[in-house]
């Protein structure tokens, strides 16, 4: 599943989620959507974006043992 580790731009992540780029950037800034700033641009790992859609705790950085 090498394509799941593909790095996406904010525009690509927004297209995958079918939301605006502004929404993706807001989620990233709030820490809801895992991403990293590279210079002035945000980058997202595709598997993290897909996990976010599934509602996975892993995507939010939560420890599943904390329940």
């Amino acid at each position: 599943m090498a394509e799941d580790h593909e790095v996406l731009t904010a525009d690509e992540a927004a297209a995958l989620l079918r939301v605006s780029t502004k929404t993706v950037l807001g989620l990233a800034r709030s820490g809801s959507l895992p991403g990293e700033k590279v210079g002035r641009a945000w980058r997202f790992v595709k598997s993290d974006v897909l996990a976010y859609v599934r509602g996975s705790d892993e995507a939010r950085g939560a420890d599943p043992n904390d329940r």
Side-chain angles (χ1 to χ4, degrees):
M1 289 201 200
E3 69 259 5
D4 282 349
H5 296 292
E6 179 181 355
V7 176
L8 306 175
T9 65
D11 289 336
E12 292 167 336
L16 183 61
L17 294 173
R18 297 186 183 190
V19 298
S20 71
T21 302
K22 185 176 180 179
T23 297
V24 167
L25 294 175
L27 290 168
R29 286 186 195 107
S30 73
S32 296
L33 179 64
E36 293 292 328
K37 282 200 81 171
V38 179
R40 293 173 48 173
W42 281 88
R43 295 293 182 256
F44 304 90
V45 177
K46 185 175 182 179
S47 60
D48 290 343
V49 175
L50 294 173
Y52 174 81
V53 171
R54 292 183 189 108
S56 170
D57 288 338
E58 182 180 315
R60 292 175 180 80
D63 184 349
N65 296 320
D66 286 345
R67 293 186 187 169

